[in-house]
Amino acid sequence: MTTLATPPDVEFSDLGTGDPDETTPGGSSTWYFRGHNFVLGYTTLVAGDVLARDDQPDEYVVILPYEQCSVEVRASGEVAAVSGKAVVMVPPGRSAIAGVVDCTVVRLFSSRSTDLLNRARNRDSYAEPHPNTKPFEPWPDPPAGYRIRPYRLADLEVTPDAVRPGQIVRCSTFMVNFLAPRIGPRDPDSLSPHDHDDFEQCSLAVEGEYVHHLRTPWSKRRSEWRADRHLRCGSPSVAVIPPPMIHTSEAVGPGTNQLIDIFCPPRLDFSRTPGRVLNEDTYPLPHQ
């Protein structure tokens, strides 16, 4: 059995409250939060304002978490209008996300976007590499080349089952799992505690309330043992769970509860299950 180092604690933040980390001249506000291999930017985008990247080193992801979202994505000589809940893959190089209406936009950048790492409010937590998390390596380029690839949830196959518990898409840098919305609390007798050996899980709560149940495995040193945590959070909020912390998320809100799980780079185990990733034919697996 592989012995892993005691992980750092979970990283957590509410989003969209308090002083933003960046405000554009057009009035849009962004809160940045990072994991070991990525930076998440949560933006309240003002209609007509633009979020631009002039020299993006690799593919990045835009999440539209709500039905009322509407943006125009510009990159590589293309323009794509995207509305409703969606995940959009944006190619490297110059690009822009323009607000059509006032709405929320979440952008995901790999750690190769070095200009964004120090904007994250929890940057000090990653001053040193985390011992159990593999460094970021991108997956192979899409054979058809990079371009804007929008995936509207309404257009995707939506039947949740044991193979596909949500709507999962991936690109060369990220995997995004838009879990099925849950109405009302989750059955406390059907939780799913699990752990990961060498990658973080980022859980983005966009509706409702959750309790993230967290357990740190024991090492041989009792001084490193931690009590279990039961982290109650509202929405929007983000939690980054390090390996090999045991975790499960319990929806507890009385209305709609919506969680989006994010992995950087994509999860190989999910990708090896045929049919689990909805755009698996667009992005090849890494060479093994």
Side-chain angles (χ1 to χ4, degrees):
M1 183 178 73
T2 302
T3 301
L4 299 176
T6 298
D9 206 353
V10 64
E11 292 288 314
F12 172 80
S13 181
D14 294 314
L15 296 170
T17 61
D19 293 336
D21 301 305
E22 180 181 87
T23 302
T24 68
S28 300
S29 296
T30 298
W31 291 258
Y32 288 105
F33 198 77
R34 68 164 295 185
H36 191 273
N37 292 333
F38 69 93
V39 178
L40 179 151
Y42 178 94
T43 301
T44 54
L45 181 61
V46 175
D49 203 3
V50 175
L51 303 174
R53 295 292 290 168
D54 292 330
D55 192 20
Q56 174 62 28
D58 55 9
E59 196 171 27
Y60 72 99
V61 175
V62 173
I63 298 175
L64 303 183
Y66 307 115
E67 288 297 341
Q68 62 267 34
C69 293
S70 184
V71 300
E72 187 177 85
V73 183
R74 308 164 188 162
S76 301
E78 296 181 281
V79 178
V82 188
S83 298
K85 294 182 179 181
V87 180
V88 186
M89 314 312 185
V90 185
R94 178 172 293 184
S95 62
I97 314 300
V100 175
V101 299
D102 292 352
C103 63
T104 297
V105 171
V106 178
R107 291 171 298 159
L108 306 174
F109 302 95
S110 83
S111 54
R112 291 189 171 181
S113 296
T114 53
D115 61 309
L116 300 178
L117 295 178
N118 283 334
R119 298 188 195 181
R121 53 190 47 214
N122 65 329
R123 57 188 176 273
D124 291 346
S125 297
Y126 294 91
E128 298 294 335
H130 287 188
N132 301 321
T133 304
K134 280 187 177 179
F136 173 73
E137 288 291 340
W139 281 25
D141 297 344
Y146 288 107
R147 61 179 180 83
I148 301 170
R149 290 186 167 91
Y151 299 96
R152 293 184 65 250
L153 266 64
D155 298 334
L156 297 174
E157 185 180 346
V158 296
T159 306
D161 55 31
V163 172
R164 189 187 305 121
Q167 292 164 283
I168 304 174
V169 291
R170 71 170 185 249
C171 65
S172 62
T173 51
F174 285 90
M175 173 178 284
V176 177
N177 183 4
F178 233 112
L179 293 163
R182 184 179 298 274
I183 307 302
R186 184 175 181 176
D187 181 356
D189 291 331
S190 63
L191 302 181
S192 54
H194 62 286
D195 67 280
H196 310 298
D197 281 347
D198 57 11
F199 59 87
E200 292 176 325
Q201 176 172 315
C202 174
S203 289
L204 174 66
V206 295
E207 288 188 80
E209 299 174 75
Y210 285 85
V211 176
H212 297 301
H213 300 286
L214 307 162
R215 171 169 290 180
T216 301
W218 286 358
S219 71
K220 65 182 181 181
R221 293 176 289 275
R222 185 161 58 86
S223 61
E224 296 180 342
W225 297 358
R226 301 182 188 139
D228 290 352
R229 292 189 65 186
H230 306 280
L231 181 61
R232 190 179 185 104
C233 64
S235 56
S237 65
V238 59
V240 179
I241 302 164
M245 186 174 284
I246 301 166
H247 57 279
T248 187
S249 298
E250 180 182 3
V252 295
T256 300
N257 299 282
Q258 175 78 70
L259 200 65
I260 302 171
D261 284 342
I262 298 160
F263 305 94
C264 179
R267 287 182 64 161
L268 190 58
D269 56 346
F270 277 12
S271 297
R272 282 175 168 162
T273 304
R276 192 165 204 172
V277 179
L278 292 165
N279 65 338
E280 62 186 350
D281 294 335
T282 302
Y283 290 91
L285 296 177
H287 302 294
Q288 299 297 304

